[in-house]
Amino acid sequence: MTTQAVSLDPHDGEAPVYPSLSPSRAADFKTCPLLYRFRTIDRLPETTSPDQARGTLVHAVLERLFDLPAGDRTASAAADLVEPAWATMIENSPELSGLFDASPAVLVSADDAVDVRRPWTTDDFLASARSLLDGYFTVEDPSRLEPAERESLISAVVDDQLLIRGYIDRLDVSPDGAMRVVDYKTGGAPREAFEARALFQLKFYALVLWRTRGVVPRVLRLLYLKDQEICDYSPDAEELARFERNLLALWQAIKRATEAKEFRPQPSKLCGWCSHQAVCPAFGGTPPPFPAPRQPAEEVVTPGADE
């Protein structure tokens, strides 16, 4: 298959335009085609949940942590970065300032070290982020690491038809050129459905790196901060070639569904986390009218979107 790197600069008038796909949107279609439509075609708004905000916050702190000299990358230093990082998030997204007033009934889970009989406060939220960061220091020593890239946007065009892209939390490169892709997970270690999605995401990144840099990553690493667990996976070229074929087949299925304007719901246990039950036929709702076509490459990919 033909693969090439492509400019993502919208001001580059000579760069070709391709439809694009990120691991999160690809996983959406695999999980539920209607969810893909709601998010990518209808672009229905979704309220940021406290868990999502906490995941973004922890990712931001871990990125900033590696700006410090190696000897200063301590658990205490990470804890000190939490409040400034949260302030930056609120500055960039002011709606987050009312996060704990909007839906207090769902802000506390039984797994968290807070009183489940009352809603979370901002202090509870920040404390839970610091607890996850403590979990990070249990599984890794950042003073011994010098990442090659952090929150890096990578992309490739496969088979001259599809731009695949996404943000890697961290890329480590050893002196001999071996690559390790690291992804931070702030939820618990996954059950089967979530584990498959997490590995799909990492294989997606591995495919982009292989096709653009000519090297198959030696290790795909998931760091589960809450449960303080490491999951390592080592792909090979044959596996990534199969994954590429499957990804292109998935894209063809998305194209057919778009042309037919037919995205069916696929109910599962994951429906409990969906923001769109009110307009989902599986829950008695009616989807909005199918919107007018957009340019196929308009999917917005942001850091932390695959958490």
Side-chain angles (χ1 to χ4, degrees):
M1 291 184 178
T2 303
T3 308
Q4 65 184 91
V6 63
S7 170
L8 297 181
D9 185 350
H11 303 295
D12 184 353
E14 307 217 349
V17 176
Y18 295 94
S20 66
L21 193 64
S22 69
S24 56
R25 297 294 79 82
D28 283 346
F29 189 84
K30 285 165 58 70
T31 299
C32 175
L34 187 58
L35 176 62
Y36 173 91
R37 179 198 149 170
F38 287 157
R39 285 178 165 169
T40 306
I41 298 176
D42 297 293
R43 299 187 180 180
L44 299 183
E46 295 185 359
T47 302
T48 300
S49 73
D51 283 342
Q52 289 170 331
R54 182 173 60 177
T56 301
L57 174 59
V58 169
H59 277 72
V61 170
L62 289 174
E63 182 183 12
R64 294 184 184 187
L65 183 69
F66 284 99
D67 289 333
L68 301 176
D72 294 340
R73 298 171 194 161
T74 63
S76 176
D80 289 342
L81 290 171
V82 169
E83 287 196 37
W86 178 237
T88 299
M89 285 177 60
I90 292 177
E91 181 179 355
N92 293 334
S93 302
E95 68 276 8
L96 292 176
S97 62
L99 185 64
F100 306 111
D101 300 325
S103 52
V106 297
L107 291 179
V108 179
S109 69
D111 295 328
D112 289 308
V114 293
D115 187 349
V116 298
R117 295 168 295 179
R118 62 173 175 81
W120 258 0
T121 65
T122 301
D123 286 343
D124 293 327
F125 174 77
L126 298 178
S128 69
R130 293 187 186 98
S131 178
L132 288 172
L133 290 165
D134 286 341
Y136 167 73
F137 282 88
T138 300
V139 295
E140 272 195 339
D141 179 0
S143 69
R144 299 171 61 87
L145 300 168
E146 290 298 338
E149 299 177 29
R150 289 171 282 142
E151 294 294 347
S152 177
L153 176 62
I154 59 171
S155 64
V157 174
V158 293
D159 206 31
D160 287 329
Q161 61 175 296
L162 178 65
L163 172 67
I164 58 175
R165 55 181 177 166
Y167 278 91
I168 294 179
D169 288 346
R170 199 180 84 216
L171 181 65
D172 300 333
V173 181
S174 68
D176 65 359
M179 293 187 295
R180 178 173 64 195
V181 179
V182 180
D183 198 71
Y184 307 122
K185 296 298 182 187
T186 52
R191 296 178 177 85
E192 183 176 352
F194 295 100
E195 183 177 13
R197 184 180 177 113
L199 287 177
F200 178 89
Q201 176 185 347
L202 285 182
K203 289 179 184 178
F204 195 105
Y205 298 150
L207 173 60
V208 175
L209 291 169
W210 178 42
R211 289 307 193 188
T212 56
R213 307 187 189 189
V215 178
V216 174
R218 183 175 295 175
V219 176
L220 308 179
R221 171 165 290 182
L222 291 159
L223 294 182
Y224 291 100
L225 309 187
K226 182 177 179 180
D227 292 334
Q228 302 170 17
E229 292 184 14
I230 295 176
C231 175
D232 281 348
Y233 185 81
S234 296
D236 57 36
E238 182 179 349
E239 179 181 12
L240 293 183
R242 288 196 305 270
F243 182 81
E244 183 177 52
R245 292 192 294 270
N246 291 338
L247 197 60
L248 287 168
L250 178 69
W251 176 245
Q252 291 302 317
I254 292 173
K255 286 178 62 177
R256 290 192 297 269
T258 304
E259 291 165 359
K261 300 181 180 180
E262 185 175 344
F263 290 84
R264 297 181 179 179
Q266 189 167 303
S268 70
K269 293 179 180 179
L270 300 178
C271 290
W273 284 270
C274 183
S275 301
H276 308 300
Q277 292 184 11
V279 290
C280 177
F283 293 87
T286 301
F290 205 85
R294 294 188 179 96
Q295 286 293 328
E298 288 186 353
E299 183 194 349
V300 176
V301 182
T302 55
D306 299 309
E307 287 312 299

